[in-house]
Amino acid sequence: MVGYRRVMADDPALIPHEINTERQRYPHCVVWTPLPILSWLFPLIGHTGICTTDGVINDFAGPYTVNVDDMMFGNPTKYWQLDVSRVRDMEWDEAVNKSSQEYRNRMHNLFCDNCHSHIAYALNLMQYDGKSNWNMVHIAVYLLLYGKYT
């Protein structure tokens, strides 16, 4: 599968980037991995991360912690690749980095401010698909509907 990245902020030219599961690189993707025990009981529940243009995973792993290139619960088992042409406001990597910086200052809450919220925050910053109301439920549903297994 192919993803794309902007070369320059004012240049609409796009360069293809491919998913590489061996190297754990998922450009412009939301990735998912199961949570031990919890995902066994409730298969829709899992841990998520959002990837940069180069496919490096950023995941809100716990209080004041965003892992980079070291996903908290292991390698992704599912991914949803987003279409970078649907980004409306901020560049992809800038939004991912700002979201990660914000979440390095937040307490983790399993029910209302979690790894899914970290992704929603990034999508809201970039106004992905023209929307600024992404939330953790949207992320879970879109992963369920559009996610592909690695």
Side-chain angles (χ1 to χ4, degrees):
M1 179 165 266
V2 176
Y4 296 91
R5 79 176 155 103
R6 277 185 210 276
V7 176
M8 300 169 62
D10 55 346
D11 183 0
L14 300 174
I15 295 176
H17 276 241
E18 292 189 18
I19 290 171
N20 184 330
T21 57
E22 287 181 20
R23 292 188 55 235
Q24 302 306 311
R25 292 294 181 254
Y26 300 88
H28 304 120
C29 287
V30 172
V31 293
W32 181 92
T33 193
L35 292 168
I37 301 171
L38 195 56
S39 295
W40 304 338
L41 300 172
F42 306 100
L44 297 178
I45 295 175
H47 182 66
T48 59
I50 188 166
C51 304
T52 63
T53 297
D54 294 326
V56 176
I57 301 167
N58 288 248
D59 68 299
F60 183 39
Y64 315 108
T65 305
V66 175
N67 290 337
V68 177
D69 206 20
D70 184 26
M71 200 164 180
M72 175 91 171
F73 293 98
N75 296 336
T77 57
K78 200 172 189 182
Y79 66 92
W80 162 41
Q81 190 166 41
L82 289 87
D83 180 353
V84 75
S85 70
R86 293 181 174 185
V87 172
R88 298 287 176 251
D89 192 19
M90 171 180 301
E91 292 294 322
W92 183 275
D93 286 346
E94 183 182 1
V96 170
N97 290 332
K98 282 189 177 196
S99 179
S100 293
Q101 191 59 40
E102 172 67 25
Y103 274 77
R104 284 185 183 100
N105 297 307
R106 291 198 183 191
M107 184 66 169
H108 189 277
N109 181 310
L110 186 61
F111 300 106
C112 60
D113 204 9
N114 55 37
C115 56
H116 291 69
S117 305
H118 169 239
I119 295 164
Y121 191 90
L123 296 182
N124 286 332
L125 285 173
M126 64 180 81
Q127 292 187 8
Y128 185 77
D129 212 15
K131 295 172 32 177
S132 59
N133 63 343
W134 289 94
N135 62 45
M136 61 186 191
V137 174
H138 293 134
I139 303 305
V141 169
Y142 275 67
L143 265 167
L144 176 66
L145 296 175
Y146 302 111
K148 297 180 180 180
Y149 287 96
T150 58

